[in-house]
Amino acid sequence: MEVGIIGVGLMGHGIARNVMERGGFGLSFLAHPGNQPTEDIVALGARACATAGEVAAGSDVVILCVTGSPQVEAIVTGEDGLAAALRSGAVVVDCSTALPESTLRMGEVVRQAGGDYLDAPMTRTAAHARAGTLNLLVGGEREVLEKVRPVLAAFTEKVDHVGPLGHGHRLKLLHNYVSVGFMTLLAEAAAQAADSGVDPQVFVDVLAGGGGASAALDRLAPYIVSEDRDALPFFVANAQKDIDYYRAMSDSSGARKVVADGVSAALAETVEAGFGEAYVPELVRLFRKETNT
């Protein structure tokens, strides 16, 4: 199979490289200013394309790894988009974090164009993308998943079929709400501890030995102790976007979202202050009293 990828960013770059190196698949990608440097994948034989339609025309599987629903919709339905050039029987694998209702609409557009659609959002980090050990939450037809499983195996450790189309993104939003919510709460607590003169290593050790032990603590501890932000290269603005997607999903189903509203407000304040491209671990500093006075 020939593979295309749109979105060679922090996550997509690792996916692209592993599709070629580990999977042995030919690769084309959309040339875009938001890509990470692509010289290495070009050296491996990847082909740069000027439009999403050009990527689609040369691919049996197209992986989307972009910011969210507006970008996915523009790629699928826009001028020179996927739908206009998709090969018959091709599969679009949307690894973005998107709204389930949008995913269902895009799935129907792709079906009308003669292809199939899977929502396959990722859990884990850019480091796992580089290592080829991402986890995917896949929604859609099981037969379609089996068709593309050899491609997904090139950059994943675990692939879970979680239900019909849209359920991958629904579960990703639930996952990110819990994950980002925990990290936002922890950053606020760490900021108060620092303001009070608590030794940061003692703070981390106390939490790790009790009810605060968690993946959130593992990811923020390097920043809490030594201001190393690179354990989680995830922009605060993207974290806010994911929380707001969760809130929109909750609104559409009439679900309670009081806590989610609070998390969104805390992140929005940081973004509005000009720190949207700070990494999430940096909330520990941005929430400190001295930063906000």
Side-chain angles (χ1 to χ4, degrees), residues 100-118:
E101 292 181 1
S102 172
T103 299
L104 293 175
R105 293 196 303 272
M106 293 306 97
E108 183 57 32
V109 170
V110 167
R111 278 192 292 273
Q112 292 294 327
D116 290 298
Y117 202 92
L118 297 172

Side-chain angles (χ1 to χ4, degrees), residues 55-158:
V55 174
S59 302
D60 303 298
V61 179
V62 181
I63 299 168
L64 307 183
C65 192
V66 296
T67 303
S69 291
Q71 292 78 19
V72 171
E73 292 181 9
I75 288 163
V76 173
T77 66
E79 186 177 357
D80 293 323
L82 296 183
L86 202 66
R87 289 180 175 182
S88 178
V91 180
V92 177
V93 181
D94 183 6
C95 293
S96 311
T97 299
L99 289 163
E101 292 181 1
S102 172
T103 299
L104 293 175
R105 293 196 303 272
M106 293 306 97
E108 183 57 32
V109 170
V110 167
R111 278 192 292 273
Q112 292 294 327
D116 290 298
Y117 202 92
L118 297 172
D119 55 326
M122 306 165 282
T123 62
R124 296 187 161 179
T125 67
H128 295 100
R130 291 191 295 271
T133 56
L134 290 171
N135 293 335
L136 297 186
L137 307 171
V138 181
E141 296 294 332
R142 188 179 294 276
E143 294 79 8
V144 178
L145 168 58
E146 294 307 317
K147 180 179 177 180
V148 301
R149 192 177 287 276
V151 174
L152 305 186
F155 61 91
T156 60
E157 182 174 86
K158 186 178 182 184

